[in-house]
Amino acid sequence: MDRSNSLAELARRLRAAGRVTILTGAGVSAASGVPTFRGADGLWRHFKPETLATADAFARDPRLVWEWYAWRRELIARCRPNPAHEVIARWSRRPGTVVITQNVDDLHVKADTANLVRLHGSIWALSCFERCPRGITPWLEPEPVPPELPPRCPHCGGHARPAVVWFGEALREADLAAAIAATRCDVFLTVGTSAVVHPAAGLVDVAGRTGAFTAEINAEPTSASGGVQVAIHARAEVALPELDRLVACP
Ligand code: NAD
Ligand code: ZN
């Protein structure tokens, strides 16, 4: 199917669907100026994210990991939702729609998205690295760059960490349960994700096996492209507004 037929088919499915689930990744925020992990501009001081976003890296050098987060937080603080976030936010208000995001930038929150599952947490929340009893519940840290790096847990004085899910860590049970429940839908659409980080990457297959129509919108082919019914290779901020117009008036 060519691009315009694929978009038309997906629009038809979305119009008829009672339950729609949208899984988003870093590509949705690229047009807002948030760098993706896998891509040309994904480097920071020649470190790979996979070597910084881990509990081991933090235990070894909390200051280095925090400098990277402080850099990302400062950058993200200046970013605004783009048309992809805006379309998804509008669709999210339709009953039966769930948005699952792997993004930690909270741009879906800024765009007022309803029924949002933040599978990998938020870069704006902190929790206690020592997991002291009161530090388990994430708290907000208002400054993009905390006055002292690494910041301290206000409850026990140990190191505070970003309340995000690092490589090798388990997802929060409630978030994972919500994401799995949302695979029971009529249309499952992934947008802007390279589909390599599990378990998020496996959700589209689960949805397909339980009868959902599956589709992907991504700038380039991914490991999910071969398994979905419709794969559209386009930028999210261009394809989603186009799709939105087709859903509204075929
Ligand atoms: P990824 O970086 O692995 O993949 C991003 C995908 O988006 C790539 O396949 C790329 O081709 C595509 N892409 C780039 N620009 C696009 C655009 N304008 N429209 C559509 N697609 C576009 O990201 P991922 O799959 O989300 O996994 C990375 C992990 O890193 C996640 O766990 C996430 O938590 C984290 N992360 C988050 C952010 C964020 O919060 N914005 C940014 C980078 C990484
Ligand atoms: Zn603590």
Side-chain angles (χ1 to χ4, degrees):
M1 246 193 282
D2 67 11
R3 179 191 153 129
S4 71
N5 281 335
S6 298
L7 278 170
E9 169 68 359
L10 179 53
R12 198 174 65 74
R13 298 284 185 160
L14 285 168
R15 216 176 306 119
R19 289 169 307 172
V20 174
T21 300
I22 304 162
L23 170 70
T24 71
V28 162
S29 295
S32 297
V34 186
T36 58
F37 275 3
R38 292 168 192 85
D41 51 1
L43 294 176
W44 176 77
R45 292 193 202 165
H46 308 292
F47 289 102
K48 278 186 164 40
E50 291 85 343
T51 64
L52 288 167
T54 71
D56 282 352
F58 191 88
R60 236 182 354 258
D61 194 344
R63 194 186 165 85
L64 172 72
V65 174
W66 258 111
E67 281 173 356
W68 181 56
Y69 275 97
W71 172 76
R72 291 176 63 203
R73 283 159 59 111
E74 219 178 353
L75 194 153
I76 292 170
R78 295 193 295 264
C79 298
R80 295 288 162 265
N82 67 61
H85 297 107
E86 283 156 16
V87 167
I88 292 169
R90 245 191 342 271
W91 290 357
S92 74
R93 283 173 221 123
R94 193 172 135 178
T97 305
V98 177
V99 181
I100 306 168
T101 190
Q102 299 168 84
N103 295 345
V104 297
D105 55 32
D106 277 3
L107 288 179
H108 284 303
V109 177
K110 272 198 186 150
D112 265 336
T113 308
N115 298 315
L116 178 67
V117 181
R118 287 178 293 176
L119 214 49
H120 293 167
S122 165
I123 201 168
W124 300 114
L126 268 59
S127 63
C128 178
F129 185 66
E130 319 296 339
R131 300 187 61 75
C132 72
R134 285 201 294 156
I136 289 174
T137 309
W139 67 87
L140 281 178
E141 162 69 55
E143 295 302 319
V145 180
E148 177 207 358
L149 288 182
R152 299 273 163 188
C153 168
H155 309 298
C156 73
H159 287 318
R161 57 168 282 176
V164 301
V165 180
W166 280 330
F167 292 104
E169 291 185 325
L171 302 184
R172 286 198 345 179
E173 249 170 63
D175 293 335
L176 183 60
I180 290 172
T183 59
R184 299 192 76 82
C185 58
D186 302 308
V187 174
F188 191 101
L189 169 63
T190 78
V191 191
T193 171
S194 61
V196 293
V197 179
H198 280 273
L203 294 171
V204 64
D205 294 332
V206 178
R209 280 200 299 275
T210 46
F213 180 83
T214 56
E216 169 188 74
I217 296 175
N218 201 68
E220 59 190 10
T222 72
S223 54
S225 305
V228 294
Q229 277 145 295
V230 160
I232 297 160
H233 298 129
R235 299 205 312 275
E237 68 279 11
V238 175
L240 283 175
E242 222 174 311
L243 193 57
D244 186 41
R245 284 190 294 274
L246 285 170
V247 172
C249 36

